[in-house]
Amino acid sequence: MASIYKRGPYQWQVLIRRKGFETQARVFNPKVEAESWANVTESEMVRGVFVSRKEAENTTLSEALNRYESEVSLIDILPFLSLRSPRLRIRKGRMSMPLFTNWKGAPHGEKPVMRL
C-alpha cells in the first residue's frame, strides 16, 4: 500500500510497503507525480514485473565505467575489431580511437592532410 506524506511546503514523499518487496521511497514536487509513480509502481508489483531501480539510480558514471573496465576485457572485444584499421591504436595495453581523422582515414598527426 502506498502512503503519501507532505514534506515541507512543496514536496511529497511516497512510501510503498508490500509483502515480498523492499520498501520503495521517493520524493516528488507536485503531488500528481507522486500519486502517478505510486500507482505505476504498485501496478508493476501486482503484475509481477517490478524491478527495483535503486542500484541503478545510485550508481555514478565513474562507478559504471570502472565496473565495465573490470568486467569487459580487451580480449572479449578484439575478435570484433579489425586490427588493420587505421582508426584503431593499441598502446600500453589500452585501446584508443582518435576522434578526428582525415579523409583517407589516417589519424591526424600521422599523415599530413595536404602538403604546402
Side-chain angles (χ1 to χ4, degrees), residues 80-102:
F80 302 105
L81 299 174
S82 169
L83 292 179
R84 295 175 184 236
S85 170
R87 295 176 154 235
L88 178 67
R89 289 183 277 175
I90 298 177
R91 291 186 191 153
K92 297 179 186 173
R94 290 245 188 238
M95 187 173 63
S96 67
M97 211 172 213
L99 294 175
F100 301 103
T101 59
N102 66 20

PDB file of all heavy atoms in Angstrom, residues 80-102:
ATOM      1  N   PHE A  80      35.965  -8.663 -32.680  1.00  0.00           N
ATOM      2  CA  PHE A  80      35.024  -7.871 -33.453  1.00  0.00           C
ATOM      3  C   PHE A  80      35.672  -6.683 -34.144  1.00  0.00           C
ATOM      4  O   PHE A  80      35.025  -5.999 -34.919  1.00  0.00           O
ATOM      5  CB  PHE A  80      33.894  -7.369 -32.538  1.00  0.00           C
ATOM      6  CG  PHE A  80      33.158  -8.487 -31.871  1.00  0.00           C
ATOM      7  CD1 PHE A  80      33.366  -8.767 -30.537  1.00  0.00           C
ATOM      8  CD2 PHE A  80      32.283  -9.279 -32.583  1.00  0.00           C
ATOM      9  CE1 PHE A  80      32.687  -9.796 -29.917  1.00  0.00           C
ATOM     10  CE2 PHE A  80      31.602 -10.320 -31.974  1.00  0.00           C
ATOM     11  CZ  PHE A  80      31.812 -10.587 -30.646  1.00  0.00           C
ATOM     12  N   LEU A  81      36.937  -6.415 -33.856  1.00  0.00           N
ATOM     13  CA  LEU A  81      37.618  -5.264 -34.431  1.00  0.00           C
ATOM     14  C   LEU A  81      38.678  -5.705 -35.425  1.00  0.00           C
ATOM     15  O   LEU A  81      39.310  -6.747 -35.264  1.00  0.00           O
ATOM     16  CB  LEU A  81      38.290  -4.440 -33.321  1.00  0.00           C
ATOM     17  CG  LEU A  81      37.371  -3.852 -32.274  1.00  0.00           C
ATOM     18  CD1 LEU A  81      38.195  -3.197 -31.188  1.00  0.00           C
ATOM     19  CD2 LEU A  81      36.434  -2.839 -32.892  1.00  0.00           C
ATOM     20  N   SER A  82      38.884  -4.917 -36.439  1.00  0.00           N
ATOM     21  CA  SER A  82      39.955  -5.178 -37.393  1.00  0.00           C
ATOM     22  C   SER A  82      41.205  -4.467 -36.894  1.00  0.00           C
ATOM     23  O   SER A  82      41.220  -3.249 -36.754  1.00  0.00           O
ATOM     24  CB  SER A  82      39.565  -4.651 -38.769  1.00  0.00           C
ATOM     25  OG  SER A  82      40.683  -4.669 -39.613  1.00  0.00           O
ATOM     26  N   LEU A  83      42.258  -5.217 -36.642  1.00  0.00           N
ATOM     27  CA  LEU A  83      43.484  -4.605 -36.127  1.00  0.00           C
ATOM     28  C   LEU A  83      44.224  -3.836 -37.205  1.00  0.00           C
ATOM     29  O   LEU A  83      45.145  -3.096 -36.922  1.00  0.00           O
ATOM     30  CB  LEU A  83      44.389  -5.680 -35.526  1.00  0.00           C
ATOM     31  CG  LEU A  83      43.841  -6.322 -34.258  1.00  0.00           C
ATOM     32  CD1 LEU A  83      44.796  -7.393 -33.763  1.00  0.00           C
ATOM     33  CD2 LEU A  83      43.625  -5.290 -33.174  1.00  0.00           C
ATOM     34  N   ARG A  84      43.847  -4.015 -38.446  1.00  0.00           N
ATOM     35  CA  ARG A  84      44.485  -3.273 -39.533  1.00  0.00           C
ATOM     36  C   ARG A  84      43.851  -1.898 -39.725  1.00  0.00           C
ATOM     37  O   ARG A  84      44.305  -1.114 -40.521  1.00  0.00           O
ATOM     38  CB  ARG A  84      44.392  -4.069 -40.827  1.00  0.00           C
ATOM     39  CG  ARG A  84      45.177  -5.353 -40.768  1.00  0.00           C
ATOM     40  CD  ARG A  84      44.950  -6.152 -42.018  1.00  0.00           C
ATOM     41  NE  ARG A  84      45.641  -7.425 -41.896  1.00  0.00           N
ATOM     42  CZ  ARG A  84      46.533  -7.845 -42.757  1.00  0.00           C
ATOM     43  NH1 ARG A  84      46.838  -7.128 -43.798  1.00  0.00           N
ATOM     44  NH2 ARG A  84      47.121  -8.994 -42.569  1.00  0.00           N
ATOM     45  N   SER A  85      42.785  -1.643 -39.038  1.00  0.00           N
ATOM     46  CA  SER A  85      42.088  -0.370 -39.185  1.00  0.00           C
ATOM     47  C   SER A  85      42.998   0.779 -38.757  1.00  0.00           C
ATOM     48  O   SER A  85      43.583   0.741 -37.676  1.00  0.00           O
ATOM     49  CB  SER A  85      40.831  -0.363 -38.319  1.00  0.00           C
ATOM     50  OG  SER A  85      40.294   0.931 -38.282  1.00  0.00           O
ATOM     51  N   PRO A  86      43.145   1.807 -39.609  1.00  0.00           N
ATOM     52  CA  PRO A  86      43.991   2.947 -39.220  1.00  0.00           C
ATOM     53  C   PRO A  86      43.376   3.765 -38.094  1.00  0.00           C
ATOM     54  O   PRO A  86      44.041   4.570 -37.482  1.00  0.00           O
ATOM     55  CB  PRO A  86      44.081   3.774 -40.503  1.00  0.00           C
ATOM     56  CG  PRO A  86      42.875   3.406 -41.279  1.00  0.00           C
ATOM     57  CD  PRO A  86      42.571   1.972 -40.920  1.00  0.00           C
ATOM     58  N   ARG A  87      42.097   3.539 -37.803  1.00  0.00           N
ATOM     59  CA  ARG A  87      41.446   4.302 -36.740  1.00  0.00           C
ATOM     60  C   ARG A  87      41.721   3.717 -35.357  1.00  0.00           C
ATOM     61  O   ARG A  87      41.453   4.339 -34.354  1.00  0.00           O
ATOM     62  CB  ARG A  87      39.944   4.350 -36.980  1.00  0.00           C
ATOM     63  CG  ARG A  87      39.587   5.101 -38.204  1.00  0.00           C
ATOM     64  CD  ARG A  87      38.106   5.038 -38.431  1.00  0.00           C
ATOM     65  NE  ARG A  87      37.746   6.212 -39.180  1.00  0.00           N
ATOM     66  CZ  ARG A  87      36.835   7.089 -38.821  1.00  0.00           C
ATOM     67  NH1 ARG A  87      36.134   6.887 -37.746  1.00  0.00           N
ATOM     68  NH2 ARG A  87      36.576   8.130 -39.545  1.00  0.00           N
ATOM     69  N   LEU A  88      42.197   2.491 -35.285  1.00  0.00           N
ATOM     70  CA  LEU A  88      42.399   1.822 -34.013  1.00  0.00           C
ATOM     71  C   LEU A  88      43.876   1.819 -33.655  1.00  0.00           C
ATOM     72  O   LEU A  88      44.714   1.418 -34.439  1.00  0.00           O
ATOM     73  CB  LEU A  88      41.886   0.383 -34.095  1.00  0.00           C
ATOM     74  CG  LEU A  88      42.061  -0.473 -32.861  1.00  0.00           C
ATOM     75  CD1 LEU A  88      41.184   0.064 -31.737  1.00  0.00           C
ATOM     76  CD2 LEU A  88      41.690  -1.897 -33.175  1.00  0.00           C
ATOM     77  N   ARG A  89      44.186   2.266 -32.472  1.00  0.00           N
ATOM     78  CA  ARG A  89      45.562   2.220 -31.989  1.00  0.00           C
ATOM     79  C   ARG A  89      45.584   1.541 -30.631  1.00  0.00           C
ATOM     80  O   ARG A  89      44.751   1.840 -29.785  1.00  0.00           O
ATOM     81  CB  ARG A  89      46.126   3.635 -31.841  1.00  0.00           C
ATOM     82  CG  ARG A  89      46.385   4.319 -33.150  1.00  0.00           C
ATOM     83  CD  ARG A  89      47.009   5.648 -32.904  1.00  0.00           C
ATOM     84  NE  ARG A  89      45.926   6.575 -32.609  1.00  0.00           N
ATOM     85  CZ  ARG A  89      46.114   7.823 -32.246  1.00  0.00           C
ATOM     86  NH1 ARG A  89      47.303   8.302 -32.084  1.00  0.00           N
ATOM     87  NH2 ARG A  89      45.096   8.618 -32.002  1.00  0.00           N
ATOM     88  N   ILE A  90      46.530   0.633 -30.440  1.00  0.00           N
ATOM     89  CA  ILE A  90      46.662  -0.018 -29.143  1.00  0.00           C
ATOM     90  C   ILE A  90      48.014   0.384 -28.573  1.00  0.00           C
ATOM     91  O   ILE A  90      49.048   0.165 -29.173  1.00  0.00           O
ATOM     92  CB  ILE A  90      46.556  -1.549 -29.272  1.00  0.00           C
ATOM     93  CG1 ILE A  90      45.181  -1.910 -29.820  1.00  0.00           C
ATOM     94  CG2 ILE A  90      46.804  -2.214 -27.939  1.00  0.00           C
ATOM     95  CD1 ILE A  90      44.985  -3.373 -30.067  1.00  0.00           C
ATOM     96  N   ARG A  91      47.961   1.013 -27.407  1.00  0.00           N
ATOM     97  CA  ARG A  91      49.183   1.461 -26.748  1.00  0.00           C
ATOM     98  C   ARG A  91      49.151   1.020 -25.291  1.00  0.00           C
ATOM     99  O   ARG A  91      48.172   1.261 -24.606  1.00  0.00           O
ATOM    100  CB  ARG A  91      49.277   2.987 -26.769  1.00  0.00           C
ATOM    101  CG  ARG A  91      49.504   3.566 -28.111  1.00  0.00           C
ATOM    102  CD  ARG A  91      49.729   5.058 -27.967  1.00  0.00           C
ATOM    103  NE  ARG A  91      49.695   5.663 -29.277  1.00  0.00           N
ATOM    104  CZ  ARG A  91      49.347   6.892 -29.508  1.00  0.00           C
ATOM    105  NH1 ARG A  91      48.979   7.663 -28.513  1.00  0.00           N
ATOM    106  NH2 ARG A  91      49.346   7.376 -30.715  1.00  0.00           N
ATOM    107  N   LYS A  92      50.217   0.412 -24.831  1.00  0.00           N
ATOM    108  CA  LYS A  92      50.377   0.034 -23.426  1.00  0.00           C
ATOM    109  C   LYS A  92      49.163  -0.719 -22.902  1.00  0.00           C
ATOM    110  O   LYS A  92      48.669  -0.460 -21.818  1.00  0.00           O
ATOM    111  CB  LYS A  92      50.629   1.272 -22.566  1.00  0.00           C
ATOM    112  CG  LYS A  92      51.895   2.004 -22.912  1.00  0.00           C
ATOM    113  CD  LYS A  92      52.051   3.220 -22.040  1.00  0.00           C
ATOM    114  CE  LYS A  92      53.240   4.045 -22.477  1.00  0.00           C
ATOM    115  NZ  LYS A  92      53.325   5.298 -21.766  1.00  0.00           N
ATOM    116  N   GLY A  93      48.622  -1.606 -23.714  1.00  0.00           N
ATOM    117  CA  GLY A  93      47.504  -2.406 -23.274  1.00  0.00           C
ATOM    118  C   GLY A  93      46.167  -1.688 -23.277  1.00  0.00           C
ATOM    119  O   GLY A  93      45.161  -2.229 -22.889  1.00  0.00           O
ATOM    120  N   ARG A  94      46.159  -0.451 -23.729  1.00  0.00           N
ATOM    121  CA  ARG A  94      44.919   0.318 -23.790  1.00  0.00           C
ATOM    122  C   ARG A  94      44.549   0.546 -25.244  1.00  0.00           C
ATOM    123  O   ARG A  94      45.398   0.719 -26.094  1.00  0.00           O
ATOM    124  CB  ARG A  94      45.104   1.675 -23.125  1.00  0.00           C
ATOM    125  CG  ARG A  94      45.240   1.571 -21.641  1.00  0.00           C
ATOM    126  CD  ARG A  94      44.055   2.252 -21.094  1.00  0.00           C
ATOM    127  NE  ARG A  94      44.075   2.420 -19.681  1.00  0.00           N
ATOM    128  CZ  ARG A  94      43.122   1.942 -18.928  1.00  0.00           C
ATOM    129  NH1 ARG A  94      42.172   1.234 -19.443  1.00  0.00           N
ATOM    130  NH2 ARG A  94      43.119   2.172 -17.660  1.00  0.00           N
ATOM    131  N   MET A  95      43.275   0.559 -25.525  1.00  0.00           N
ATOM    132  CA  MET A  95      42.806   0.790 -26.874  1.00  0.00           C
ATOM    133  C   MET A  95      42.332   2.231 -26.966  1.00  0.00           C
ATOM    134  O   MET A  95      41.651   2.729 -26.094  1.00  0.00           O
ATOM    135  CB  MET A  95      41.636  -0.157 -27.152  1.00  0.00           C
ATOM    136  CG  MET A  95      41.161  -0.134 -28.555  1.00  0.00           C
ATOM    137  SD  MET A  95      39.943  -1.427 -28.822  1.00  0.00           S
ATOM    138  CE  MET A  95      38.658  -0.918 -27.724  1.00  0.00           C
ATOM    139  N   SER A  96      42.715   2.917 -28.021  1.00  0.00           N
ATOM    140  CA  SER A  96      42.245   4.281 -28.193  1.00  0.00           C
ATOM    141  C   SER A  96      41.834   4.481 -29.641  1.00  0.00           C
ATOM    142  O   SER A  96      42.369   3.875 -30.543  1.00  0.00           O
ATOM    143  CB  SER A  96      43.323   5.295 -27.804  1.00  0.00           C
ATOM    144  OG  SER A  96      44.391   5.237 -28.710  1.00  0.00           O
ATOM    145  N   MET A  97      40.878   5.353 -29.831  1.00  0.00           N
ATOM    146  CA  MET A  97      40.394   5.658 -31.155  1.00  0.00           C
ATOM    147  C   MET A  97      40.373   7.168 -31.291  1.00  0.00           C
ATOM    148  O   MET A  97      39.697   7.847 -30.527  1.00  0.00           O
ATOM    149  CB  MET A  97      38.983   5.095 -31.309  1.00  0.00           C
ATOM    150  CG  MET A  97      38.630   4.678 -32.662  1.00  0.00           C
ATOM    151  SD  MET A  97      37.053   3.831 -32.560  1.00  0.00           S
ATOM    152  CE  MET A  97      37.319   2.673 -33.833  1.00  0.00           C
ATOM    153  N   PRO A  98      41.125   7.731 -32.220  1.00  0.00           N
ATOM    154  CA  PRO A  98      41.140   9.183 -32.348  1.00  0.00           C
ATOM    155  C   PRO A  98      39.775   9.702 -32.798  1.00  0.00           C
ATOM    156  O   PRO A  98      39.069   9.047 -33.553  1.00  0.00           O
ATOM    157  CB  PRO A  98      42.203   9.450 -33.402  1.00  0.00           C
ATOM    158  CG  PRO A  98      42.360   8.174 -34.135  1.00  0.00           C
ATOM    159  CD  PRO A  98      41.990   7.079 -33.184  1.00  0.00           C
ATOM    160  N   LEU A  99      39.429  10.878 -32.319  1.00  0.00           N
ATOM    161  CA  LEU A  99      38.139  11.458 -32.671  1.00  0.00           C
ATOM    162  C   LEU A  99      38.141  12.029 -34.086  1.00  0.00           C
ATOM    163  O   LEU A  99      37.142  11.991 -34.773  1.00  0.00           O
ATOM    164  CB  LEU A  99      37.776  12.558 -31.681  1.00  0.00           C
ATOM    165  CG  LEU A  99      37.530  12.095 -30.254  1.00  0.00           C
ATOM    166  CD1 LEU A  99      37.303  13.296 -29.356  1.00  0.00           C
ATOM    167  CD2 LEU A  99      36.336  11.171 -30.207  1.00  0.00           C
ATOM    168  N   PHE A 100      39.269  12.575 -34.494  1.00  0.00           N
ATOM    169  CA  PHE A 100      39.326  13.219 -35.795  1.00  0.00           C
ATOM    170  C   PHE A 100      40.270  12.458 -36.709  1.00  0.00           C
ATOM    171  O   PHE A 100      41.380  12.133 -36.345  1.00  0.00           O
ATOM    172  CB  PHE A 100      39.827  14.658 -35.646  1.00  0.00           C
ATOM    173  CG  PHE A 100      38.969  15.474 -34.749  1.00  0.00           C
ATOM    174  CD1 PHE A 100      39.354  15.749 -33.456  1.00  0.00           C
ATOM    175  CD2 PHE A 100      37.748  15.939 -35.198  1.00  0.00           C
ATOM    176  CE1 PHE A 100      38.547  16.489 -32.621  1.00  0.00           C
ATOM    177  CE2 PHE A 100      36.934  16.674 -34.365  1.00  0.00           C
ATOM    178  CZ  PHE A 100      37.330  16.959 -33.083  1.00  0.00           C
ATOM    179  N   THR A 101      39.824  12.205 -37.921  1.00  0.00           N
ATOM    180  CA  THR A 101      40.672  11.563 -38.921  1.00  0.00           C
ATOM    181  C   THR A 101      40.555  12.356 -40.202  1.00  0.00           C
ATOM    182  O   THR A 101      39.558  13.043 -40.438  1.00  0.00           O
ATOM    183  CB  THR A 101      40.245  10.108 -39.188  1.00  0.00           C
ATOM    184  OG1 THR A 101      38.907  10.111 -39.633  1.00  0.00           O
ATOM    185  CG2 THR A 101      40.381   9.249 -37.958  1.00  0.00           C
ATOM    186  N   ASN A 102      41.594  12.260 -41.045  1.00  0.00           N
ATOM    187  CA  ASN A 102      41.492  12.962 -42.317  1.00  0.00           C
ATOM    188  C   ASN A 102      40.699  12.132 -43.307  1.00  0.00           C
ATOM    189  O   ASN A 102      40.251  11.031 -42.998  1.00  0.00           O
ATOM    190  CB  ASN A 102      42.889  13.324 -42.848  1.00  0.00           C
ATOM    191  CG  ASN A 102      43.721  12.111 -43.206  1.00  0.00           C
ATOM    192  OD1 ASN A 102      43.183  11.031 -43.425  1.00  0.00           O
ATOM    193  ND2 ASN A 102      45.022  12.280 -43.269  1.00  0.00           N
TER     194      ASN A 102
END
